[in-house]
Amino acid sequence: AQSVTQLGSHVSVSEGALVLLRCNYSSSVPPYLFWYVQYPNQGLQLLLKYTTGATLVKGINGFEAEFKKSETSFHLTKPSAHMSDAAEYFCAVRGATNDYKLSFGAGTTVTVRA
Amino acid sequence: DAGVIQSPRHEVTEMGQEVTLRCKPISGHNSLFWYRQTMMRGLELLIYFNNNVPIDDSGMPEDRFSAKMPNASFSTLKIQPSEPRDSAVYFCASRPGTKSSYEQYFGPGTRLTVT
């Protein structure tokens, strides 16, 4: 079965500091990995995805993530946090091939200090 | 392009009443998912459809919940009778129709309050 673990349910960073959100996955098939962001009172929005090919994936709003097979990780980073990055972030992995469900992590809430 | 459309955005109802939530997926998408999000349980998949056919409904809490997808552009999630513990935000999401696409696109959600 496929699963995702997000380390840290809450992360607090200073404006301008590095944002690092950790995600580890377990998958019995080649993993397709996703990061979503959820702003207050909104739906989840796709930030970026990894399927095959280049392991460093760039997404919207200056975020990027690196797929590391040896570490079964897909950590999300942004070099310089902005106040608008305050939100909840979810990592997800696809199900088995042709099973279109996604397994989501529990989420990490990011607060940005001025 | 229009995203996933959900209605209503907010619903307040009394215990025992029937509630119907509606979803219009993105045109051309052929998988549709219903989720429930609460503080206690996080994001839970209730049911998903592929080409209008229910594929996995193992997340539907109980017989009070039912979902239909009569055509490619419309789905409903019905709760009858509703209970206070059904209070949550319900999301609909859709997936592009290509075999290799697994990403889902979420609607804005319906916030349901059952009193």
Side-chain angles (χ1 to χ4, degrees):
Chain A
Q2 281 60 247
S3 66
V4 159
T5 301
Q6 291 184 238
L7 298 175
S9 58
H10 289 88
V11 169
S12 179
V13 298
S14 298
E15 193 173 19
L18 171 72
V19 180
L20 170 60
L21 304 183
R22 300 179 187 274
C23 172
N24 288 90
Y25 69 89
S26 171
S27 179
S28 58
V29 298
Y32 286 12
L33 295 154
F34 308 86
W35 274 101
Y36 284 84
V37 60
Q38 184 179 28
Y39 299 104
N41 300 312
Q42 294 187 27
L44 280 70
Q45 179 182 359
L46 182 65
L47 264 181
L48 50 80
K49 66 177 181 180
Y50 168 80
T51 54
T52 58
T55 57
L56 183 62
V57 180
K58 294 187 185 300
I60 62 172
N61 301 340
F63 284 93
E64 62 183 34
E66 186 170 13
F67 169 64
K68 292 187 177 181
K69 185 177 178 180
S70 61
E71 298 178 8
T72 61
S73 69
F74 190 57
H75 301 333
L76 181 72
T77 59
K78 181 174 180 178
S80 176
H82 191 272
M83 298 298 288
S84 60
D85 295 325
E88 188 162 18
Y89 293 79
F90 294 90
C91 183
V93 64
R94 70 157 173 170
T97 303
N98 296 326
D99 176 359
Y100 292 106
K101 292 185 293 188
L102 295 179
S103 294
F104 285 87
T108 299
T109 299
V110 172
T111 57
V112 182
R113 305 185 304 271
Chain B
D1 289 338
V4 174
I5 298 171
Q6 292 187 246
S7 65
R9 294 294 311 278
H10 301 272
E11 177 81 40
V12 180
T13 191
E14 292 184 348
M15 182 173 62
Q17 296 299 305
E18 177 180 296
V19 175
T20 299
L21 311 182
R22 296 171 175 80
C23 175
K24 177 178 170 57
I26 295 171
S27 178
H29 286 196
N30 68 354
S31 297
L32 184 141
F33 306 80
W34 282 102
Y35 291 88
R36 177 172 68 178
Q37 187 178 41
T38 61
M39 291 290 291
M40 291 293 292
R41 302 172 71 98
L43 191 65
E44 302 173 276
L45 176 65
L46 301 177
I47 185 170
Y48 92 92
F49 297 83
N50 206 42
N51 294 319
N52 312 337
V53 175
I55 302 299
D56 186 341
D57 66 355
S58 60
M60 295 287 263
E62 48 200 271
D63 290 346
R64 298 185 298 106
F65 285 68
S66 62
K68 293 182 179 180
M69 191 165 187
N71 57 61
S73 59
F74 184 66
S75 177
T76 59
L77 178 69
K78 186 178 293 186
I79 308 172
Q80 165 63 18
S82 58
E83 296 183 3
R85 59 194 168 119
D86 301 329
S87 297
V89 181
Y90 291 81
F91 290 104
C92 176
S94 66
R95 182 194 71 86
T98 54
K99 269 189 104 174
S100 59
S101 295
Y102 286 78
E103 65 272 21
Q104 296 175 19
Y105 294 87
F106 283 73
T110 295
R111 182 174 296 276
L112 173 65
T113 303
V114 183
T115 61

